[in-house]
Amino acid sequence: MASKKKKFYAVAMGKTPGIYTEWFGDNGAETQVRGFPGAVFKGFPTKDAAEDFIKQNVGKKRKAKPKATPHKTKSSPKLIPMITPEDGRIVIYTDGGCLNNPGPGGYGVVINNGKKTKELSGGYRLTTNNRMELMACIVGLGSLKKGSSVILYSDSKYVVDGITKGWAVRWQVNGWMKNKREAAVNPDLWEKLLALCGKHDVQFIWVKGHAGNEGNERCDQLANMESAKRALPVDEVYEIQFNKKNQIIEHRPSLRNSSDFGAITT
């Protein structure tokens, strides 16, 4: 059995520039670039290649990727108040995202039953935007102790269309395949969400993100706060996929087209 090739991560711009042989951990490259504006880094199969990258890029900043923060506009939109539940229904607002998709991610949930409002949030050290959008819905619906009539607001077309257009149900029926050749992404979370939709009467409604909707804006704040935390738990299902993809690329360097270490971003 062939041994796994050693990898070198070059950090030209980061908290502590240098060459690292690990990605995660206190002594890994991820710690040096996470949250560092304009970080410049890349993985290489050899130390020489990593050293050349640092020589060519030291002191050079690249444009930082957009973070999962509310977009600033010239004039802040008028705040749209949260919907007040009627006829015993429960209103749930959800949002999720991550830094440098994939990357550290978080989700936020606001639940209003007409009498009180509850907030829930959480995050993972490496995940994707879509997984956090799904997790927000799962956590929100999963917090309800009994079957309920729910209006769920999300700014994710991926989630809302997946439910309202019947995509997720069709994928499930077809063994989590979109078609004969393409597998559905995030089946572990879709399966949980569909099970909760079977328990509750849920109406999914899409809302425009960062448009002054009070519930959506609060969920976005919660998700951002979680994404920025240190020592986040592991999204085990995603990291298995992430690591598997990296191992394939490490043994086939000619297929490497990105500096994101072969990341899966859906």
Side-chain angles (χ1 to χ4, degrees), residues 185-207:
V185 182
N186 304 318
D188 58 314
L189 299 184
W190 279 116
E191 189 163 36
K192 292 178 181 178
L193 183 55
L194 288 176
L196 287 166
C197 289
K199 178 180 178 181
H200 305 286
D201 177 16
V202 188
Q203 178 184 5
F204 283 78
I205 299 178
W206 179 82
V207 294

Side-chain angles (χ1 to χ4, degrees), residues 40-67:
V40 178
F41 58 97
K42 192 173 182 180
F44 295 91
T46 67
K47 188 175 181 180
D48 288 342
E51 290 176 342
D52 289 340
F53 177 82
I54 289 181
K55 290 178 182 178
Q56 295 171 11
N57 292 276
V58 65
K60 183 190 299 185
K61 291 186 178 181
R62 70 177 182 183
K63 187 177 180 181
K65 294 182 180 180
K67 294 185 178 181

Side-chain angles (χ1 to χ4, degrees), residues 28-165:
E30 186 268 349
T31 302
Q32 307 305 323
V33 300
R34 179 157 58 94
F36 189 91
V40 178
F41 58 97
K42 192 173 182 180
F44 295 91
T46 67
K47 188 175 181 180
D48 288 342
E51 290 176 342
D52 289 340
F53 177 82
I54 289 181
K55 290 178 182 178
Q56 295 171 11
N57 292 276
V58 65
K60 183 190 299 185
K61 291 186 178 181
R62 70 177 182 183
K63 187 177 180 181
K65 294 182 180 180
K67 294 185 178 181
T69 54
H71 298 296
K72 292 183 178 179
T73 57
K74 292 183 179 179
S75 59
S76 299
K78 184 177 180 181
L79 192 65
I80 303 171
M82 284 189 277
I83 302 296
T84 301
E86 296 180 354
D87 303 324
R89 302 184 79 180
I90 294 174
V91 170
I92 298 179
Y93 288 90
T94 66
D95 195 20
C98 67
L99 306 178
N100 300 325
N101 184 39
Y107 59 83
V109 183
V110 176
I111 304 173
N112 188 336
N113 64 3
K115 297 179 181 178
K116 61 181 180 179
T117 299
K118 179 169 64 174
E119 296 182 346
L120 302 169
S121 63
Y124 296 90
R125 71 178 189 180
L126 179 65
T127 188
T128 69
N129 287 334
N130 285 340
R131 287 185 69 80
M132 292 299 92
E133 295 281 10
L134 285 165
M135 274 300 301
C137 299
I138 292 168
V139 169
L141 293 172
S143 70
L144 305 179
K145 296 181 180 179
K146 60 180 181 180
S148 306
S149 179
V150 180
I151 303 176
L152 191 150
Y153 293 92
S154 169
D155 63 7
S156 170
K157 284 283 190 179
Y158 172 72
V159 171
V160 175
D161 287 352
I163 294 294
T164 61
K165 294 185 178 182

